[in-house]
Amino acid sequence: MVLLCPVCGQPLTRTENTWRCPAGHCFDVARQGYVNLLTVDRKHARHPGDTKEQVAARKAFLDGGFYRPIADTVCRLLVPLQPKAVLDAGCGEGYYLTRLQAAQPQAAYAGIDISKDAVRFAAVRNKQALWLTGTAAALPFPEDSFDAVLSMFALTVEREFARVLRPQGRFLQVLAGPDHLLGLKSIIYPEILHKEKTLHPDLCGFRLEHTETLEFSFTLEDANQVRNLLSMTPHFWRISKDGAARLAAAERLTDTAQVIFNLYSKE
Ligand SMILES: C[S@@+](CC[C@H](N)C(=O)[O-])C[C@H]1O[C@@H](n2cnc3c(N)ncnc32)[C@H](O)[C@@H]1O
Ligand SMILES: [Zn+2]
């Protein structure tokens, strides 16, 4: 897999624990094995992306297996295509990419996330993939690098995804549906407002090849997992004091996930 310097765009080569470009820009491999390619001008914040607490909560929740049906659907959609190189953009702590890699080990895998804490967790979880801190808005890869790009509950940067995909490459976009986690919402909000959201967006440079919606119920028997689930969602930032108090009182939660899978093919 060829990596490009985020400063000047020239190829990076690795010597021991440093990636270096011909112009002398250097990026160290962290102790956990990931590479930090986030340059100060692209950071916009001291700790961009998800916080350490959010990442730890997501890891604890995902490791509980509650979202396994989502990972299984990713594998069912992508494994038959036999991609040789896969990128997870906004990879978080690496749960989904690691499950795909287990289902199809003979490919090359890379994950990128703007949160250093997320990537650190991913690198500890999985030593076989290439983990990078960086922004999906300017991917550090040349054109035609991947057969598949994933974005799981994360951002879509169609121009960049199309650039790094090979001809006929696939982009799998995974979104929360309008009825995702209504149980959680009904605890934290006095009334549930339905926001209009485009569920199958037109993406420039792509053709929507297949779409499906997955729904499944799960039960959290433990108040910690209820809190972990909240931390993974955007409601974490919006919740009122009253909503937080109601959720803190919830010892268990049965809820339904509704997840949309949009599989695009590069035109
Ligand atoms: C809702 S989380 C989903 C994480 C993971 N895909 C999952 O489903 O478990 C969204 C992720 O996007 C990351 N993110 C936000 N802005 C980003 C950017 N510009 N480039 C790369 N990642 C970004 C966040 O740090 C966070 O880990
Ligand atoms: Zn450079």
Side-chain angles (χ1 to χ4, degrees):
M1 216 176 270
V2 176
L3 270 182
L4 300 181
C5 173
V7 180
C8 69
Q10 297 188 76
L12 294 168
T13 35
R14 182 170 177 171
T15 42
E16 293 179 9
N17 280 338
T18 306
W19 287 84
R20 195 183 301 270
C21 79
H25 303 121
C26 293
F27 304 91
D28 289 339
V29 179
R31 188 167 42 88
Q32 296 85 354
Y34 68 91
V35 191
N36 181 10
L37 294 181
L38 203 57
T39 53
V40 174
D41 60 322
R42 294 231 168 90
K43 255 175 137 178
H44 304 302
R46 208 163 124 76
H47 296 291
D50 281 11
T51 63
K52 194 172 179 177
E53 291 70 29
Q54 276 180 291
V55 175
R58 175 173 296 118
K59 177 170 165 33
F61 180 86
L62 293 174
D63 285 350
F66 303 106
Y67 275 8
R68 175 94 188 250
I70 303 176
D72 290 346
T73 305
V74 170
C75 294
R76 177 168 53 73
L77 291 172
L78 291 184
V79 170
L81 302 172
Q82 298 190 306
K84 292 187 185 64
V86 181
L87 172 69
D88 187 352
C91 60
E93 47 62 70
Y95 172 77
Y96 295 105
L97 194 68
T98 300
R99 292 216 67 95
L100 180 62
Q101 187 168 25
Q104 215 231 188
Q106 63 283 10
Y109 291 88
I112 188 165
D113 199 288
I114 206 163
S115 160
K116 201 170 172 171
D117 290 312
V119 174
R120 191 179 291 133
F121 272 90
V124 169
R125 181 196 279 286
N126 175 341
K127 302 276 174 224
Q128 268 77 50
L130 173 66
W131 300 108
L132 306 169
T133 50
T135 173
L139 291 170
F141 299 99
E143 290 169 13
D144 301 343
S145 292
F146 297 99
D147 305 292
V149 173
L150 281 176
S151 170
M152 311 277 313
F153 309 105
L155 70 175
T156 290
V157 189
E158 58 213 85
R159 179 184 39 82
E160 273 302 84
F161 295 177
R163 183 182 66 77
V164 300
L165 275 171
R166 296 175 182 147
Q168 274 87 55
R170 306 304 206 290
F171 167 46
L172 181 60
Q173 181 191 52
V174 178
L175 307 171
D179 294 337
H180 187 53
L181 304 181
L182 285 182
L184 180 80
K185 287 187 208 166
S186 65
I187 296 176
I188 61 179
Y189 298 122
E191 95 181 283
I192 298 174
L193 300 174
H194 269 287
K195 267 205 300 184
E196 281 302 313
K197 174 169 158 184
T198 309
L199 302 180
H200 314 292
D202 284 333
L203 301 181
C204 188
F206 289 96
R207 178 176 62 81
L208 182 61
E209 184 182 329
H210 171 81
T211 183
E212 65 182 66
T213 301
L214 169 72
E215 276 191 18
F216 60 95
S217 295
F218 60 93
T219 297
L220 307 177
E221 303 281 2
D222 158 1
N224 280 331
Q225 287 292 32
V226 177
R227 268 196 299 277
N228 289 339
L229 177 62
L230 173 71
S231 307
M232 290 169 55
T233 69
H235 312 297
F236 177 73
W237 303 107
R238 299 182 197 139
I239 191 169
S240 68
K241 261 196 181 152
D242 288 352
R246 282 195 297 278
L247 191 72
E251 292 286 318
R252 66 196 298 282
L253 174 74
T254 293
D255 213 337
T256 301
Q258 188 193 53
V259 183
I260 296 167
F261 296 80
N262 292 324
L263 185 64
Y264 294 88
S265 148
K266 179 171 162 174
E267 282 193 317

